[in-house]
Amino acid sequence: GGKHVYLKTPDRSGVIEGADPKTFVLLGSGDEESAYAKDSKTVFFFGDPVPSADAKTFVQLNGRYGKDLRHVYFMMKVVPKADLASFTAPYKSVWYARDKDHVFSGEDIFVQADPDTFSTGDDRYCGKNCTYRYEDKNYRYDLQEHIVQKLCR
């Protein structure tokens, strides 16, 4: 085994300082980006240590969200208002996740969005001239999360 763990992305490359090559693993499955990694002591996000993350219990939920026994994380930050027990990242977009009460955009609550009906969709969702990207039972939202249409259902 080597003495170092190396990172190579389109944006940077080099040694991941402090990473243990004997216990280092990339997290995530083959169909999602492995943004998170860990060794026996530290969780890393694109090579940078995630403060306060517990390496023994940490799991990657998607390319931007993860959680351990104490916290939910968006990239390297704790998501302060997330309900740990119900938190999931079920959407196609890595920028959104939910718990039993809220939809999250990054570490912030997407206040208007209904967690039970929110969908991130994709380009097939409404065609190439799409004026909205996300929707729930009440509204359609654009990429900046502005309401573009109230739904009458």
Side-chain angles (χ1 to χ4, degrees):
K3 293 180 181 181
H4 300 288
V5 175
Y6 295 90
L7 170 73
K8 182 163 178 49
T9 71
D11 300 325
R12 61 191 265 212
S13 61
V15 172
I16 299 177
E17 294 298 329
D20 175 8
K22 291 184 177 89
T23 60
F24 188 88
V25 292
L26 291 174
L27 302 177
S29 63
D31 62 342
E32 66 185 22
E33 179 179 61
S34 292
Y36 286 104
K38 67 181 181 178
D39 64 16
S40 62
K41 296 179 182 161
T42 306
V43 175
F44 301 92
F45 181 78
F46 284 117
D48 294 319
V50 179
S52 77
D54 176 45
K56 288 180 179 47
T57 62
F58 188 90
V59 293
Q60 175 174 304
L61 300 174
N62 70 16
R64 297 293 178 271
Y65 286 96
K67 70 180 182 177
D68 62 20
L69 281 179
R70 297 172 301 188
H71 302 290
V72 170
Y73 299 87
F74 176 72
M75 300 195 308
M76 295 176 59
K77 295 180 181 176
V78 171
V79 180
K81 298 195 187 241
D83 176 69
L84 188 62
S86 67
F87 196 91
T88 61
Y91 307 117
K92 185 172 180 124
S93 170
V94 297
W95 304 104
Y96 294 90
R98 65 163 290 186
D99 67 15
K100 64 184 177 55
D101 298 318
H102 304 101
V103 172
F104 291 85
S105 172
E107 71 253 31
D108 300 318
I109 293 172
F110 184 176
V111 176
Q112 305 95 306
D114 174 66
D116 293 327
T117 61
F118 184 78
S119 170
T120 60
D122 59 29
D123 289 336
R124 293 174 286 129
Y125 199 61
C126 63
K128 293 202 183 278
N129 297 320
C130 194
T131 57
Y132 68 95
R133 180 53 61 110
Y134 315 117
E135 81 172 2
D136 61 24
K137 69 180 182 181
N138 301 310
Y139 302 107
R140 288 183 173 152
Y141 308 93
D142 65 14
L143 284 169
Q144 289 74 43
E145 300 168 8
H146 299 123
I147 295 170
V148 293
Q149 182 180 4
K150 181 166 178 37
L151 300 176
C152 299
R153 292 185 177 163

